[in-house]
Coordinates of all heavy atoms in Angstrom, one line a residue:
Chain R
L83 N 34.8 -3.3 -11.8 CA 33.7 -3.1 -12.9 C 34.3 -2.3 -14.1 O 35.2 -1.5 -13.9 CB 32.5 -2.4 -12.4 CG 31.8 -2.8 -11.1 CD1 30.6 -2.0 -10.8 CD2 31.5 -4.3 -11.1
C84 N 33.7 -2.6 -15.2 CA 33.9 -1.6 -16.3 C 32.6 -1.4 -17.0 O 31.6 -2.1 -16.8 CB 34.9 -2.2 -17.4 SG 34.4 -3.6 -18.3
I85 N 32.5 -0.3 -17.7 CA 31.3 0.1 -18.5 C 31.7 0.0 -19.9 O 32.7 0.6 -20.4 CB 30.8 1.5 -18.1 CG1 30.5 1.6 -16.6 CG2 29.6 1.8 -19.0 CD1 30.1 3.0 -16.2
V86 N 31.0 -0.8 -20.7 CA 31.2 -0.9 -22.1 C 30.0 -0.2 -22.9 O 28.9 -0.8 -22.8 CB 31.4 -2.3 -22.6 CG1 31.6 -2.4 -24.1 CG2 32.6 -2.9 -21.9
G87 N 30.3 0.9 -23.5 CA 29.2 1.7 -24.2 C 29.0 3.0 -23.4 O 28.2 3.0 -22.5
M88 N 29.7 4.0 -23.8 CA 29.6 5.3 -23.0 C 28.7 6.3 -23.7 O 29.0 7.5 -23.8 CB 31.1 5.8 -22.9 CG 31.9 4.9 -22.0 SD 31.2 4.8 -20.3 CE 31.4 6.4 -19.7
G89 N 27.5 5.9 -24.0 CA 26.4 6.8 -24.4 C 25.8 7.4 -23.1 O 26.5 7.5 -22.1
R90 N 24.5 7.8 -23.2 CA 23.9 8.5 -22.1 C 23.8 7.6 -20.9 O 24.1 8.0 -19.8 CB 22.6 9.1 -22.5 CG 22.7 10.0 -23.7 CD 21.8 11.2 -23.6 NE 21.5 11.8 -22.4 CZ 21.1 13.0 -22.2 NH1 20.9 13.7 -23.3 NH2 20.8 13.5 -21.1
L91 N 23.4 6.4 -21.1 CA 23.2 5.5 -20.0 C 24.6 5.2 -19.4 O 24.7 5.2 -18.1 CB 22.5 4.2 -20.4 CG 22.2 3.2 -19.4 CD1 21.4 3.8 -18.2 CD2 21.5 2.0 -19.9
G92 N 25.5 4.8 -20.2 CA 26.9 4.5 -19.7 C 27.4 5.7 -18.9 O 28.0 5.5 -17.8
S93 N 27.2 6.9 -19.4 CA 27.7 8.1 -18.7 C 27.0 8.3 -17.4 O 27.6 8.7 -16.4 CB 27.6 9.3 -19.6 OG 28.2 9.1 -20.9
A94 N 25.7 8.1 -17.4 CA 24.9 8.2 -16.2 C 25.5 7.2 -15.1 O 25.6 7.6 -14.0 CB 23.4 8.0 -16.4
L95 N 25.8 6.0 -15.6 CA 26.3 5.0 -14.6 C 27.7 5.4 -14.1 O 28.0 5.2 -13.0 CB 26.3 3.6 -15.3 CG 24.9 3.0 -15.5 CD1 25.0 1.8 -16.4 CD2 24.2 2.7 -14.2
A96 N 28.5 6.0 -15.0 CA 29.8 6.4 -14.6 C 29.7 7.4 -13.5 O 30.6 7.5 -12.6 CB 30.6 6.9 -15.8
D97 N 28.7 8.2 -13.5 CA 28.5 9.3 -12.5 C 27.7 8.8 -11.2 O 27.6 9.5 -10.3 CB 27.6 10.4 -13.1 CG 28.5 11.5 -13.6 OD1 29.8 11.4 -13.4 OD2 28.0 12.4 -14.3
Y98 N 27.2 7.6 -11.3 CA 26.3 7.1 -10.2 C 27.1 7.0 -9.0 O 28.2 6.3 -8.9 CB 25.8 5.7 -10.6 CG 24.8 5.1 -9.6 CD1 23.6 5.7 -9.5 CD2 25.2 4.0 -8.9 CE1 22.7 5.1 -8.6 CE2 24.3 3.5 -8.0 CZ 23.0 4.0 -7.8 OH 22.2 3.5 -6.9
L107 N 34.3 1.0 -10.1 CA 34.5 1.2 -11.6 C 36.0 1.4 -11.9 O 36.6 2.3 -11.3 CB 33.7 2.5 -12.0 CG 32.2 2.3 -12.1 CD1 31.5 3.7 -12.3 CD2 31.8 1.3 -13.2
R108 N 36.5 0.5 -12.8 CA 37.9 0.6 -13.1 C 38.2 0.7 -14.6 O 39.3 0.6 -15.0 CB 38.6 -0.7 -12.6 CG 38.6 -0.8 -11.1 CD 39.3 -2.1 -10.6 NE 39.1 -2.2 -9.2 CZ 39.3 -3.4 -8.5 NH1 39.7 -4.5 -9.2 NH2 39.2 -3.4 -7.2
G109 N 37.1 0.9 -15.4 CA 37.4 1.0 -16.9 C 36.1 1.5 -17.6 O 35.0 1.2 -17.2
F110 N 36.3 2.2 -18.7 CA 35.3 2.8 -19.5 C 35.6 2.6 -21.0 O 36.7 3.1 -21.4 CB 35.1 4.3 -19.1 CG 35.0 4.5 -17.7 CD1 36.2 4.7 -16.9 CD2 33.8 4.5 -17.0 CE1 36.1 4.9 -15.5 CE2 33.7 4.7 -15.6 CZ 34.9 4.9 -14.9
F111 N 34.8 1.9 -21.7 CA 35.2 1.6 -23.1 C 34.1 1.9 -24.1 O 32.9 1.9 -23.8 CB 35.4 0.1 -23.1 CG 36.6 -0.4 -22.2 CD1 36.3 -0.8 -20.9 CD2 37.9 -0.3 -22.7 CE1 37.3 -1.2 -20.1 CE2 38.9 -0.7 -21.8 CZ 38.6 -1.1 -20.5
D112 N 34.5 2.3 -25.3 CA 33.6 2.6 -26.4 C 34.3 2.3 -27.7 O 35.5 2.2 -27.7 CB 33.1 4.0 -26.3 CG 31.7 4.2 -27.0 OD1 31.6 4.1 -28.2 OD2 30.7 4.4 -26.3
E116 N 35.4 9.2 -31.4 CA 35.2 10.6 -30.8 C 35.0 10.5 -29.3 O 35.2 11.5 -28.6 CB 33.9 11.1 -31.4 CG 34.0 11.3 -32.9 CD 33.4 12.6 -33.4 OE1 32.5 13.2 -32.6 OE2 33.7 13.1 -34.5
K117 N 34.6 9.4 -28.8 CA 34.4 9.3 -27.3 C 35.7 8.9 -26.7 O 36.0 9.2 -25.5 CB 33.3 8.3 -27.0 CG 31.9 8.8 -27.3 CD 30.9 7.9 -26.8 CE 29.5 8.4 -27.2 NZ 28.6 7.3 -27.7
V118 N 36.6 8.1 -27.4 CA 37.8 7.6 -26.8 C 38.7 8.8 -26.4 O 38.8 9.7 -27.2 CB 38.5 6.6 -27.8 CG1 40.0 6.4 -27.3 CG2 37.8 5.3 -27.9
G119 N 39.2 8.7 -25.2 CA 40.1 9.8 -24.7 C 39.4 10.8 -23.8 O 40.0 11.6 -23.1
R120 N 38.0 10.8 -23.9 CA 37.3 11.7 -23.1 C 37.3 11.3 -21.6 O 37.2 10.2 -21.3 CB 35.8 11.7 -23.6 CG 35.0 12.9 -23.1 CD 33.5 12.7 -23.6 NE 33.4 12.8 -25.0 CZ 32.3 12.6 -25.7 NH1 31.2 12.3 -25.0 NH2 32.2 12.7 -27.0
P121 N 37.6 12.3 -20.7 CA 37.6 12.0 -19.3 C 36.2 11.7 -18.7 O 35.3 12.4 -19.2 CB 38.3 13.2 -18.7 CG 37.9 14.3 -19.6 CD 37.8 13.8 -21.0
V122 N 36.1 10.8 -17.8 CA 34.9 10.6 -17.1 C 35.3 10.5 -15.6 O 36.5 10.4 -15.3 CB 34.2 9.3 -17.5 CG1 33.6 9.4 -18.9 CG2 35.1 8.1 -17.4
R123 N 34.3 10.5 -14.7 CA 34.7 10.4 -13.3 C 35.4 9.1 -13.1 O 34.8 8.0 -13.4 CB 33.4 10.5 -12.5 CG 33.7 10.9 -11.0 CD 32.5 11.3 -10.3 NE 31.7 10.1 -9.9 CZ 30.9 10.1 -8.8 NH1 30.7 11.2 -8.1 NH2 30.3 9.0 -8.5
G124 N 36.6 9.2 -12.6 CA 37.3 7.9 -12.2 C 38.2 7.4 -13.4 O 38.7 6.3 -13.2
G125 N 38.3 8.1 -14.5 CA 39.1 7.6 -15.6 C 38.9 8.3 -16.9 O 38.5 9.5 -16.9
V126 N 39.2 7.5 -17.9 CA 39.1 8.1 -19.3 C 38.6 7.0 -20.2 O 38.8 5.8 -19.9 CB 40.5 8.6 -19.8 CG1 41.5 7.4 -19.8 CG2 40.5 9.3 -21.1
I127 N 37.8 7.4 -21.2 CA 37.2 6.3 -22.1 C 38.3 5.8 -23.0 O 39.1 6.5 -23.6 CB 36.1 7.0 -22.9 CG1 35.0 7.5 -22.0 CG2 35.5 5.9 -23.9 CD1 33.9 8.2 -22.7
E128 N 38.4 4.4 -23.0 CA 39.4 3.7 -23.9 C 38.7 2.9 -24.9 O 37.5 2.6 -24.9 CB 40.2 2.8 -23.0 CG 41.0 3.5 -21.9 CD 41.9 2.6 -21.2 OE1 41.5 1.7 -20.5 OE2 43.1 2.8 -21.3
Chain L
R90 N 20.7 12.7 -14.4 CA 21.3 12.0 -15.5 C 20.5 10.8 -16.0 O 20.3 10.5 -17.1 CB 22.7 11.6 -15.2 CG 23.5 12.8 -14.8 CD 24.9 12.8 -15.2 NE 25.2 12.3 -16.5 CZ 26.3 12.6 -17.2 NH1 27.2 13.4 -16.6 NH2 26.6 12.1 -18.3

Side-chain angles (χ1 to χ4, degrees):
Chain R
L83 311 184
C84 69
I85 301 176
V86 177
M88 291 300 293
R90 303 218 34 161
L91 180 59
S93 302
L95 289 171
D97 268 350
Y98 183 71
L107 286 172
R108 293 180 186 162
F110 310 88
F111 300 92
D112 205 290
E116 299 223 338
K117 287 186 184 137
V118 168
R120 193 183 297 174
V122 290
R123 200 167 79 154
V126 63
I127 300 175
E128 296 188 296
Chain L
R90 302 217 39 162

